[in-house]
Amino acid sequence: MTMPADCETDAVRLRETMAKDLAADGVLADPAWRAAVQTVPRHRFVPGFYLPADERDAHGLTVWEPVTAELDYGRWLAAAYSDTTLITQFDGDEIDWKQPTVRHGGAPTSSSTLPSLVARMWADAEVTEGHTVLEIGTGTGYSTALACERLGSADVTSIEVDPHRLEQAASALYGCGFTPILAVADGLYGYWPEARFDRIVAACSFRAVPPALLAQARPGGKILLTLSGWLYGYARVLLTVAEDGTAEGQLLPGTVSFMLARTHAAPVFGNPAHWAAGLPEKARTTRHSPDRVTAATEEAFHLRFLAQSAVPDAQMTTVDQVVHLVDVYTGSAATLTPAGDSWAVREGGPVNLWERIERVLDAYDAADAPGPETFTLHVYGGGQHLRHPQMPGLPLPRP
């Protein structure tokens, strides 16, 4: 890909502006991380990416527009130095950036995370000079490059499950003079050859904390990861690993979402109507509206994670205003249907899915709506539990 002669000059200017803006927003409080952001050329890690169009297509699908230097140099470079997540892969398929096409829908499976979140993650993990770091999810390699710039390449190990993604990231990293240890590996199992690490930071989410990560962290080491699940509830946690291999840490405030590790991806569950057809005809009026966990608010984002901890194998979808809950493991299902100013729920199977969620919402209200930072995650040989002094413990699924 041939770049305009003044590309590097333009990039330096845009990079300085981005670092200045992030610092003004309080993201780059550490001068060393600000210097890294001002130095690492993000545009070299994203030769092509997709951005969403302003409007959806006739079927309601997101229209994804390809962006490269050849297609629109100004848009490409400006986006590379904006605080935006840039999608680089859909559905695990590699894209021919010489002839990219507009896409309708699709599930993003790789991206360059927005710079503010990358910087925030390294800062939240309390990474500093002298630390050895394992990064899970190399992606484009931009985040890896920032760590190398700050710590030195010799102290950085980065793994990626997708060999094509890692090959492209390695090319960009080496081209910029960074030489971290790179490997194709599943983040669920960490990377034993380079263990033990002072810090482990995951750029993907997990349903539960992988035991291998605890074993690969030094006593006193910290693990920063995002917990997620099949209801797409998210929470970040910073764990400190003890001498006995257990770990404990508080959830962090704010709303952050990452793609699930591919080995933790949700199974397909078929036609919701088929599940609904087997439910009892008798319905009850719900105590809580499903809007409490589906609304586009920070509280609903938090509640969806708590609800997910109560029904970790459930999935949710909405068809014609009817909310469907499906659990492929137990064969349980529920539907929530609008009924005037309330909702009617029908449930069937071994687990009353919505009843379990309502119990969590009841406890949450009784505890006066506690925020994420008031919850502590305990990880030990017998399991993983989310605890709060005024709410019953919520177990995470077995890793």
Side-chain angles (χ1 to χ4, degrees):
M1 185 178 291
T2 304
M3 298 294 176
D6 55 354
C7 177
E8 295 303 324
T9 301
D10 292 341
V12 168
R13 174 177 51 82
L14 290 171
R15 201 153 56 239
E16 289 177 348
T17 299
M18 183 177 74
K20 181 180 178 181
D21 291 343
L22 294 179
D25 290 340
V27 175
L28 297 175
D30 185 336
W33 285 117
R34 178 169 180 171
V37 170
Q38 286 185 207
T39 302
V40 175
R42 190 187 187 205
H43 68 281
R44 295 197 191 179
F45 295 88
V46 286
F49 49 84
Y50 277 88
L51 293 175
D54 293 334
E55 296 182 0
R56 294 176 176 265
D57 68 11
H59 301 286
L61 298 174
T62 300
V63 178
W64 295 98
E65 299 174 340
V67 182
T68 66
E70 281 82 0
L71 292 172
D72 189 334
Y73 168 73
R75 187 186 187 194
W76 167 75
L77 195 61
Y81 289 104
S82 65
D83 193 28
T84 304
T85 292
L86 308 173
I87 305 300
T88 55
Q89 187 191 73
F90 291 89
D91 303 313
D93 297 328
E94 286 301 307
I95 295 161
D96 180 3
W97 290 112
K98 294 180 180 179
Q99 294 181 312
T101 58
V102 173
R103 298 183 64 99
H104 293 252
T109 48
S110 190
S111 66
S112 178
T113 304
L114 65 163
S116 63
L117 178 52
V118 172
R120 178 177 161 194
M121 286 178 62
W122 289 126
D124 285 345
E126 301 173 9
V127 174
T128 190
E129 288 80 1
H131 283 159
T132 55
V133 170
L134 171 64
E135 177 190 42
I136 297 173
T138 313
T140 64
Y142 174 67
S143 175
T144 317
L146 291 177
C148 290
E149 180 66 28
R150 171 69 191 274
L151 303 175
S153 296
D155 288 332
V156 178
T157 299
S158 186
I159 61 175
E160 169 62 49
V161 72
D162 187 322
H164 298 292
R165 292 282 86 210
L166 189 67
E167 181 180 7
Q168 294 186 27
S171 178
L173 284 162
Y174 298 154
C176 292
F178 300 117
T179 56
I181 293 170
L182 302 174
V184 177
D186 188 331
L188 190 64
Y189 305 101
Y191 198 60
W192 286 102
E194 297 300 318
R196 294 186 172 185
F197 301 97
D198 295 301
R199 297 291 185 269
I200 298 176
V201 178
C204 61
S205 61
F206 296 97
R207 298 183 71 208
V209 181
L213 302 189
L214 270 64
Q216 292 176 29
R218 299 183 192 280
K222 296 181 185 294
I223 302 173
L224 177 71
L225 51 75
T226 301
L227 297 169
S228 182
W230 298 343
L231 289 185
Y232 298 99
Y234 298 86
R236 289 192 313 147
V237 64
L238 180 63
L239 295 167
T240 300
V241 179
E243 290 277 356
D244 62 1
T246 63
E248 182 177 313
Q250 287 182 303
L251 299 189
L252 301 180
T255 56
V256 170
S257 60
F258 275 109
M259 300 170 193
L260 263 171
R262 295 189 188 183
T263 45
H264 278 189
V268 293
F269 57 81
N271 188 335
H274 295 167
W275 290 84
L279 295 177
E281 288 298 321
K282 186 177 180 181
R284 68 171 175 85
T285 300
T286 65
R287 300 192 301 278
H288 299 277
S289 162
D291 292 339
R292 294 203 63 185
V293 295
T294 60
T297 65
E298 189 164 333
E299 182 180 49
F301 189 94
H302 173 45
L303 282 174
R304 191 155 60 250
F305 175 74
L306 298 181
Q308 175 181 274
S309 300
V311 288
D313 299 323
Q315 298 180 64
M316 180 185 292
T317 188
T318 301
V319 180
D320 296 331
Q321 296 186 306
V322 177
V323 178
H324 296 259
L325 285 165
V326 173
D327 180 341
V328 298
Y329 275 122
T330 66
S332 304
T335 61
L336 291 93
T337 306
D341 294 332
S342 60
W343 289 77
V345 60
R346 295 188 299 137
E347 300 181 276
V351 179
N352 288 330
L353 299 173
W354 188 248
E355 175 60 31
R356 281 198 180 181
I357 291 176
E358 288 197 305
R359 288 179 199 160
V360 172
L361 297 176
D362 289 342
Y364 173 82
D365 291 341
D368 198 23
E373 64 280 2
T374 65
F375 288 83
T376 302
L377 179 64
H378 299 264
V379 185
Y380 49 95
Q384 306 182 18
H385 275 77
L386 194 63
R387 302 191 190 281
H388 185 277
Q390 296 173 275
M391 288 185 65
L394 296 169
L396 270 63
R398 298 293 294 181

